[in-house]
């Protein structure tokens, strides 16, 4: 019978995968099918920072692939990765990366003004703020998975 930590870990990983997919869709097609982005800096021209976009793309795609691979391996009955330090580290780093990208997006989109300079609420801005918020929430879920991964790792250490 699977342990409570194993069931919780699978549920959390499914939630992470769904959130990552939603984030990717919002990021790529968030504003009327056009690239939304996370921003990075805002200046007089309100241009997005390409460095922030490169990091965000890497985080979103990389963690989507990583979480998919881990879930697929669970489907084949391989639970070895939950007992490794790699799972703890990937979740720990994911926590900070998602919070950093989410904070960048929230900073950019909260100060954003669209081409109608005096319109305070725009769909693009709202979707950008939703993207940033989802990234921060995803970071919190990665933190929760870090704790569960550490519990698995610590239990493995008790057996030897």
């Amino acid at each position: 019978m699977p342990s409570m930590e194993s069931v919780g870990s699978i549920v959390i990983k499914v939630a992470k995968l769904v959130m990552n997919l939603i984030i990717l869709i919002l990021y790529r097609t968030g504003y009327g099918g056009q690239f939304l982005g996370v921003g990075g800096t805002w200046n007089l021209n309100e241009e997005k920072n390409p460095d922030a976009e490169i990091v965000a793309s890497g985080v979103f795609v990389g963690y989507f692939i990583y979480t998919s691979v881990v879930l697929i391996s669970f489907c084949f009955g391989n639970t070895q990765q939950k007992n490794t330090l790699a799972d703890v580290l990937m979740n720990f780093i994911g926590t900070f990366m998602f919070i950093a990208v989410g904070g960048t997006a929230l900073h950019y989109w909260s100060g954003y003004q669209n081409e109608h300079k005096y319109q305070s609420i725009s769909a693009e801005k709202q979707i950008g703020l939703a993207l940033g918020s989802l990234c921060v929430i995803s970071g919190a879920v990665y933190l929760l998975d870090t704790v569960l991964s550490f519990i698995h790792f610590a239990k493995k250490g008790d057996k030897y």
Side-chain angles (χ1 to χ4, degrees), residues 16 23 68 75 77 81 98 112 115 140 143:
K16 287 189 320 186
I23 287 169
S68 299
C75 291
Q81 75 277 358
F98 270 98
Y112 178 79
E115 66 266 3
L143 179 62

Side-chain angles (χ1 to χ4, degrees), residues 71-100:
L71 277 173
I72 290 169
S73 70
F74 271 129
C75 291
F76 286 107
N78 184 1
T79 58
Q80 294 288 353
Q81 75 277 358
K82 72 181 183 181
N83 295 327
T84 65
L85 185 59
D87 197 38
V88 175
L89 289 174
M90 286 297 290
N91 286 316
F92 184 71
I93 292 168
T95 298
F96 290 105
M97 293 304 290
F98 270 98
I99 290 173

Side-chain angles (χ1 to χ4, degrees), residues 5 17 23-24 26 41 45 47 61 69 76 104 107 116 152:
E5 293 93 6
L17 191 65
I23 287 169
L24 271 170
L26 286 176
T41 62
N45 298 322
E47 295 175 357
V61 173
V69 168
F76 286 107
T104 301
H107 172 73
H116 308 294
H152 280 293

